[in-house]
Each structure stands twice: as structure tokens, then as C-alpha cells.
């Protein structure tokens, strides 16, 4: 670190080549508001800070940092191979941050989101009031259940509800059925969709998302519980037989999600089971409600995740 | 002769409406296992 | 000490406030008199083996099963028996 200057002007040039995260995180102890839920375990980061002060001019500072192949846990999600290049400029109270590189190989809250690429992201705000800053990006790509998610150019005000439209192409029903923590579920089909996120500082919600199967497919639900319940319940018996081997022509759903995690799907299925009443057409209207966070947590608990993640899931469950 | 009633298989679709609320209780499995454990050995728990 | 004697001594020790339930699903000694120590050791070993089985079956680590058992046993503890709360033995 070099500090030159006299009373009316000084500039500080501090540079750190490389911090290596072995098992513990040296930065966590220094940065006051390190997000306490972010636990970095492996990877390299370096930073460079330049601060210039002249008594009659506003304080100016530049801060640049790179992070390579960071791995760790954020909240209860495993983070794999995070790469960030960040350049920040402070001029008086005007803060502007550019992220020429921001990629994550995978973030896994239960269902993995992989190959995430956020292109030319930027954040501009008044240094004293970052909460009303503006977040913008050129495009965002990610992959989910072998399908592609894409968000094009957006600029959002953090302190207001900002719409972000996510386009989904080629989600595989087969992957979803494999990941879903209910035994006896199987199916295949390709799903496309449009998901309008509403984003603000305290959360994300979805209003009238749309999902639809691109072409006919199959759905199967064979469960001993349903079998036994169906014995003395004609409606369930019908459901049980229909879903034994259901071939659908139409599969579409509305999707709503609130910031507390409540996920509501209005699913429409049209098709038949060839072995049931010679393939008589059956139309389903499913209204399915569940908590997405609880769903993700139960997936994780079934997949032997690390103790730290389990501890965080328990803490969150106890807070309710 | 007894009339044979031939029910033509109606081909109009069967409609099934279903409302389901799934409770992803995180602790369902472990609670159930603990209940069984406590019941079978309530003298030592 | 066979199971019947252990059961009987456990009930007596609990009644007379020698032992109580801890938060981690195991027994703790309140007053080390009579057979308190032996009972606690025997029963805790028994419980640990069972918790390990539950841990395998429910794919949760042992520490989570113990915590969950502790919570359930607090609810189950009969009035008059002791439970450990923030380091202090409290009569339910």
C-alpha cells in the first residue's frame, strides 16, 4: 500500500494480488457487511483500490476486483465456479459499478441452475442511498432442467417493482419428474414458457407465468398410496387409472409465485390412457399449490447435502 | 327375450378437476421414524 | 442390569429429579446419586444407536435427528419431570 500526499491532497493506492480461500475466508473477517450467508470455500480473488482526495474537489475512488473459480455456499445453495470482474468508480456520492464478467457454473438450491452468464451488468446509485440504485444488464443466460432461460436487456429500479421477462425454451419434463421428490413420477415432453418476474429489493414474485408443452408427451404417476386411497374413492380410482400411463396432446399451465414462496400452478392436461376405456379422452384441470422453498429444501435433504446447508435450512424452518 | 343393453362407449371426454395443496414438510420422514421409535420404546424415552 | 430393572430405575430416577431430558435428545444427570450415572449412560447408548438408524433411514445427519428428537421429547416430557433449558434444569 502506498500513501502519498500532504494535507490538502493524498492518494492511496492499495493493491492485493491474490487471496486464496483454502478452508477459511480471510476477507469475511475484514469486510463489515460481508453477507453472513455467503461462505466461500475455494477460489482466488484480487483487488485494487485507488483513492484520491483533494480538499476542494469531491472524493474520487476506483476499486477493481477479480474473482476466479470461487466455490462456496450462499444461504442454502451450493455455488460452483463463480467468476467476476468488477470495476467501481466513486465520484463524490455518485457510485457506478461495472461487471464486465459475471458467470456462475452452477448454483444449486435443490434444482441446479447452471452455466449462468450475466452480460455487461452494471449498478449505478447514490453512494448514500444504494437501495434506490439502478441495476442493468445486456442479457442473462442460464440452463435449467436441460432447458435454456434467457432474459434480454433490462434496467431495473431496486426500490420499485420492476418487470423482468424470462423466456424458457426446451425444459425437459423428464428431468423435472426425476428431480421432484415424489416417488412414482415419470414423464417426458419439452416445455417452453414465458415467466414475467416482478423484482424489487425485498423479493421476487411471478404474475401469470405461462408454461406449455411444445408437442405431445407422456406422464405417469404410480404410487402405492394413491392405489390404496383409490380403493374406496371412485374419483381417485379414475385418476389412478388415467395417470397409470397418460399420453397428453395438451399440457399447459399458468404459474403464480409470491415472495413468501407460495407457488400456484393451474395445469390443463388433455389426452388419454390407451388402456383405459379404449383411450377415451380425459381432460384434467389441476390446481396445485405448494411452497417452492420447502420443495427445494426437501429435495436437498434427500440428496445428502453438506451439514452447513442442512443447518441453514433448519434455521430458516425454525424462524417461521 | 331379454333386451341386451348395449352402451355405446361415449367418446366425449371425462373431465377431472383436482385441487391439491402439497405440504413439503421437511421433517416428515424423520418425524415419522422418531414417532415409531418412541412408541416402540416408550419406557426408555 | 436387564431392561425391566433399567426401565424401573429410570422411572424412579426421573420421578425423584435425579435425571432429566437434554435438548440434544439425550438424558442428563441433575444429581449424581444412586444409579443415576449408570442409567443415563445405558439409556443414552441405546438412544444413540436408534438415532443413527433414524439418521440413515431419513437421510438426515445424526446431529439433526438428535436435535429433532430433543424437541419432540421436550413436548412429550410428563409434567413434574425435568428438562434442560438454557443450561438450567426446569421442572415441566
Amino acid at each position: 500500500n502506498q500513501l502519498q500526499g500532504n494535507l490538502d491532497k493524498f492518494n492511496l493506492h492499495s493493491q492485493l494480488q491474490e487471496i486464496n480461500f483454502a478452508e477459511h475466508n480471510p476477507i469475511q473477517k475484514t469486510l463489515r457487511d460481508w453477507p453472513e450467508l455467503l461462505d466461500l470455500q475455494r477460489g482466488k480473488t484480487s483487488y485494487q483500490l485507488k483513492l484520491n482526495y483533494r480538499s476542494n474537489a469531491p472524493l474520487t475512488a476506483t476499486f477493481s476486483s477479480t474473482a476466479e473459480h470461487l466455490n462456496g455456499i450462499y444461504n442454502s445453495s451450493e455455488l460452483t465456479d463463480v467468476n467476476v470482474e468488477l470495476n467501481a468508480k466513486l465520484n463524490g456520492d455518485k457510485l457506478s459499478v461495472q461487471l464486465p464478467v459475471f458467470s456462475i457454473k452452477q448454483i444449486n438450491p435443490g434444482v441446479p441452475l447452471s452455466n449462468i452468464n450475466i452480460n455487461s451488468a452494471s449498478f449505478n446509485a447514490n453512494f448514500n442511498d444504494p437501495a434506490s440504485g439502478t441495476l442493468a444488464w445486456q442479457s442473462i443466460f442460464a440452463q435449467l432442467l436441460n432447458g435454456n432461460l434467457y432474459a434480454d436487456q433490462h434496467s431495473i429500479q431496486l426500490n420499485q417493482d420492476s418487470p423482468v421477462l424470462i423466456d424458457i425454451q426446451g425444459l425437459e419434463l423428464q428431468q423435472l419428474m426425476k428431480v421432484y421428490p415424489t416417488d412414482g413420477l415419470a414423464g417426458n415432453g419439452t416445455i417452453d414458457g414465458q415467466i414475467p418476474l416482478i423484482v424489487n429489493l425485498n423479493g421476487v414474485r411471478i404474475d401469470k407465468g405461462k408454461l406449455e408443452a411444445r408437442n405431445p408427451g407422456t406422464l405417469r404417476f404410480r404410487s402405492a398410496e394413491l392405489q390404496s386411497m383409490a380403493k374406496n374413492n371412485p374419483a381417485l380410482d379414475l385418476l389412478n387409472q388415467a395417470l397409470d400411463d397418460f399420453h397428453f396432446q395438451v399440457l399447459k399451465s399458468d404459474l403464480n409465485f409470491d415472495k413468501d414462496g407460495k407457488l400456484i400452478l393451474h395445469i390443463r392436461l388433455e389426452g388419454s390412457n390407451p388402456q383405459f376405456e379404449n383411450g377415451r379422452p380425459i381432460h384434467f384441470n389441476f390446481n396445485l399449490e405448494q411452497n417452492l422453498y420447502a420443495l427445494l429444501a426437501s429435495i436437498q435433504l434427500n440428496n445428502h447435502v453438506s451439514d452447513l446447508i442442512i443447518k441453514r435450512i433448519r434455521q430458516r424452518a425454525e424462524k417461521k | 327375450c331379454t333386451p341386451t343393453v348395449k352402451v355405446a362407449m361415449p367418446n366425449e371426454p371425462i373431465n377431472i378437476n383436482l385441487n391439491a395443496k402439497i405440504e413439503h414438510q421437511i421433517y416428515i420422514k424423520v418425524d415419522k421414524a422418531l414417532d415409531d421409535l418412541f412408541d416402540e420404546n416408550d419406557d426408555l424415552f | 442390569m436387564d431392561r425391566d430393572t433399567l426401565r424401573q430405575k429410570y422411572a424412579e430416577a426421573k420421578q425423584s429429579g435425579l435425571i432429566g431430558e437434554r435438548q440434544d435428545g439425550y438424558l442428563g444427570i441433575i444429581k449424581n446419586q444412586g444409579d443415576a450415572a449408570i442409567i443415563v449412560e445405558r439409556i443414552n447408548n441405546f438412544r444413540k444407536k436408534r438415532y443413527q438408524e433414524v439418521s440413515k433411514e431419513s437421510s438426515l445427519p445424526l446431529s439433526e435427528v438428535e436435535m429433532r428428537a430433543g424437541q419432540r421429547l421436550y413436548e412429550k416430557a410428563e409434567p413434574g419431570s425435568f428438562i434442560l433449558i438454557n443450561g438450567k434444569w426446569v421442572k415441566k
Side-chain angles (χ1 to χ4, degrees), chain A residues 187-203:
Chain A
N188 56 59
T190 310
I191 296 175
D192 302 326
Q194 295 270 313
I195 304 293
L197 296 182
I198 311 285
V199 178
N200 64 40
L201 258 187
N202 43 39

Side-chain angles (χ1 to χ4, degrees), chain C residues 11-21 30-31 74-83 89-92:
Chain C
E12 278 159 23
K14 207 161 43 168
Q15 229 53 39
S16 42
L18 298 185
I19 58 177
E21 287 294 339
I30 304 175
K31 297 195 209 83
Y74 270 28
E75 288 151 21
K76 218 166 86 70
E78 313 94 23
S81 64
F82 283 82
I83 47 180
W89 288 105
V90 171
K91 194 167 193 169
K92 202 172 166 190

Side-chain angles (χ1 to χ4, degrees), chain A residues 301-304 307 310-311 314 318, chain C residues 56 58-61 63-64 67 71:
Chain A
L301 287 178
N302 291 331
N303 294 353
H304 305 294
D307 288 351
I310 288 180
K311 185 163 142 286
R314 178 159 49 78
E318 272 155 12
Chain C
K56 236 187 250 84
S58 60
S59 67
L60 270 179
S63 57
E64 285 308 302
M67 289 292 289
Q71 285 162 5

Side-chain angles (χ1 to χ4, degrees), chain A residues 36-37 73-78 108-111 259-261 291-301 305 307-320, chain B residues 24 26-27, chain C residues 64 68 71:
Chain A
E36 82 8 71
L37 290 175
I73 294 174
Y74 175 68
N75 200 346
S76 59
S77 300
E78 275 165 84
N108 188 352
V111 178
K259 65 176 176 38
D260 304 324
N291 183 297
L292 182 61
Y293 301 130
L295 166 63
L296 292 174
S298 70
I299 292 175
Q300 287 184 301
L301 287 178
V305 289
D307 288 351
L308 175 60
I309 289 185
I310 288 180
K311 185 163 142 286
R312 294 227 173 116
I313 292 175
R314 178 159 49 78
Q315 280 160 352
R316 223 179 24 226
E318 272 155 12
K319 243 192 248 116
K320 279 206 181 50
Chain B
H24 289 288
I26 306 170
Y27 287 109
Chain C
E64 285 308 302
R68 195 66 192 165
Q71 285 162 5

Side-chain angles (χ1 to χ4, degrees), chain A residues 82-99:
Chain A
V82 181
N83 295 284
V84 180
E85 224 178 85
L86 178 144
N87 303 314
K89 275 210 295 302
L90 182 65
N91 196 328
D93 58 10
K94 195 171 154 312
L95 171 69
S96 99
V97 180
Q98 307 295 329
L99 289 147

